[in-house]
Amino acid sequence: MSAPTRVAVVGAGDISGQYLTALTAYPDLAVTAVADLVPERARAQAEAHGVAGWGSTADVLARDDVDLVVNLTVPAAHAEVALAAIAAGKHVWGEKPLALDRASARAVLDAADAAGVVVGNAPDTVLGPGIQTSHRLLAEGAIGAPRTVLTLMQGPGPDVWHPRPQFLFAKGAGPLFDIGPYYLTALVQLLGPVTSVSARGQIPRAERTIGSGPDAGTVFPVEVPTHVSVVTEFASGVVGTSVYSFDSALRRQLFEVSGADGVLEVPVSGFDGPSRLLTGTAPDSPWRTVPAAGVPSGRGVGVLELARAVRAGRPPRASGELAYHVLDIMLSVEESIDLGGPVRVESTTAPVLPIPPHWDPTARTYDGTEQT
Ligand SMILES: NC(=O)c1ccc[n+]([C@@H]2O[C@H](COP(=O)([O-])OP(=O)(O)OC[C@H]3O[C@@H](n4cnc5c(N)ncnc54)[C@H](O)[C@@H]3O)[C@@H](O)[C@H]2O)c1
């Protein structure tokens, strides 16, 4: 039982390097293969990271030495690749979003249940020591009962740096679906499920220009709102105000929870940032910085948390149900923009306990020292 969980990465594009660097370093995991629609891309990433196997998705899913598939394809392929992996009897970790629509996302979760495999999906920054420290501060009552939350994600958009940014301005992306999951997954983990949303969306620029790589200078159309404003109601009674924007020269990320006894600033971007607390109400009250407690981690920590959860027979923290709820919220925001009014969010998800600070991704735990 102490052999590592054997992992295959499907999708050898931009983000796969960060994943492969982390996954090949965690002793509880062994990366056995890399797949891509473009086989040379799979081969290059496999060779760069010392992974023996590479090939097409079908080749890799047919392998006996793969327990868990890490789905790093583009959002439009997420459900199809997840379903193929489940049909091959593999557990699946997926990059956000879970799928592009509710029916496909539900089909993935139902297929996994029927096959007896487990699905995890999130931007896994939410499992890093930074956000987990904020989660523990909230749970310990550091700001009293949460009342409101303010989140801002503003910037010029990924067309300025991504070599293939078209998919980030197409259905299934835009700031809401591409960046929203970072905020919404953290919002739901920290504050519980959402019950309704009311939103407005704008497309200030109908075309964008690729800013880097071999296709730099190519103009492409924008298909989804690039500035989205949302009012969110949570089951707990908390009310949130959020902006998701690719239309600002100002780069700003903010996540502030206001409670009965103070304000908590959550380090939403990255894995290991500090939390900040403001508990006085005088104009010059100082913020207190609380460093992230826990072993530093990076992209891929969600794969490890899922693998360890499967091994221990417990649900993963970044579960398929949580990802479904986050997708349902984003689709409800999209519907609210189209309707011009509030939309009820029908799904919900169970509360998740924070990760304890002693949880160590770099430890070998399958020898009986399972860390929950
Ligand atoms: N790039 C980032 O900074 C970043 C950060 C966090 C999360 N993500 C997420 O990671 C995922 C991938 O993003 P990316 O930026 O690496 O995209 P990318 O376009 O650079 O890479 C995607 C890869 O998937 C392959 N692919 C597409 N469909 C496939 C299929 N059906 N089977 C096998 N391979 C297939 C493509 O050939 C390509 O190599 C997306 O869900 C994105 O939201 C990206």
Side-chain angles (χ1 to χ4, degrees):
M1 277 301 283
S2 61
T5 302
R6 297 162 305 174
V7 172
V9 167
V10 177
D14 188 73
I15 201 62
S16 64
Q18 285 185 37
Y19 267 90
L20 283 161
T21 300
L23 299 180
T24 52
Y26 295 147
D28 279 347
L29 306 179
V31 184
T32 51
V34 180
D36 200 285
L37 274 181
V38 183
E40 274 313 306
R41 229 176 256 167
R43 178 184 188 162
Q45 282 298 58
E47 287 177 358
H49 294 274
V51 176
W54 60 272
S56 70
T57 304
D59 293 342
V60 164
L61 294 185
R63 293 175 70 113
D64 291 335
D65 62 352
V66 175
D67 306 308
L68 191 159
V69 166
V70 179
N71 182 359
L72 304 182
T73 60
V74 292
H78 283 179
E80 171 201 325
V81 170
L83 285 167
I86 291 165
K90 319 295 188 195
H91 306 289
V92 184
W93 172 266
E95 257 299 342
K96 40 78 185 175
L98 180 57
L100 297 191
D101 59 79
R102 294 181 184 91
S104 313
R106 186 48 69 197
V108 169
L109 300 190
D110 289 349
D113 282 349
V117 296
V118 183
V119 171
N121 183 295
D124 57 3
T125 42
V126 74
L127 299 175
I131 294 178
Q132 292 297 318
T133 297
S134 281
H135 195 172
R136 288 193 296 271
L137 286 168
L138 269 186
E140 290 158 7
I143 58 163
R147 289 174 172 159
T148 61
V149 59
L150 171 66
T151 76
L152 299 174
M153 189 295 293
Q154 299 167 280
D159 46 322
V160 299
W161 62 268
H162 197 293
R164 291 177 293 274
Q166 292 92 327
F167 80 89
L168 294 165
F169 293 82
K171 186 158 169 57
L176 175 63
F177 284 83
D178 184 47
I179 307 292
Y182 291 89
Y183 288 79
L184 289 164
T185 309
L187 282 166
V188 173
Q189 280 216 348
L190 270 54
L191 299 169
V194 168
T195 52
S196 89
V197 291
S198 190
R200 292 288 181 275
Q202 294 157 258
I203 305 182
R205 283 189 285 154
E207 291 179 331
R208 298 269 175 154
T209 305
I210 300 178
S212 81
D215 298 329
T218 303
V219 174
F220 64 93
V222 175
E223 296 170 14
V224 292
T226 50
H227 185 94
V228 177
S229 315
V230 192
V231 173
T232 309
E233 288 183 40
F234 293 79
S236 63
V238 170
V239 174
T241 309
S242 298
V243 167
Y244 305 99
S245 182
F246 287 164
D247 282 295
S248 172
L250 176 62
R251 289 176 165 84
R252 175 163 51 184
Q253 304 211 323
L254 185 71
F255 190 130
E256 280 179 3
V257 186
S258 293
D261 304 323
V263 176
L264 170 67
E265 191 182 279
V266 178
V268 68
S269 64
F271 286 84
D272 305 316
S275 301
R276 295 205 310 151
L277 282 169
L278 179 69
T279 47
T281 49
D284 57 352
S285 295
W287 285 87
R288 180 163 72 88
T289 299
V290 183
V295 178
S297 60
R299 206 79 73 175
V301 71
V303 180
L304 178 67
E305 210 274 339
L306 169 65
R308 287 180 174 179
V310 168
R311 199 58 76 102
R314 62 172 171 80
R317 284 183 173 82
S319 66
E321 283 298 336
L322 171 61
Y324 182 92
H325 185 56
V326 168
L327 175 68
D328 193 17
I329 297 167
M330 295 189 295
L331 291 167
S332 300
V333 166
E334 203 173 53
E335 287 153 12
S336 173
I337 291 170
D338 291 343
L339 289 168
V343 169
R344 234 191 113 62
V345 177
E346 300 294 340
S347 63
T348 188
T349 189
V352 179
L353 290 175
I355 293 178
H358 64 263
W359 195 87
D360 183 358
T362 66
R364 187 180 301 280
T365 69
Y366 289 171
D367 55 3
T369 54
E370 160 70 10
Q371 303 172 328
T372 54

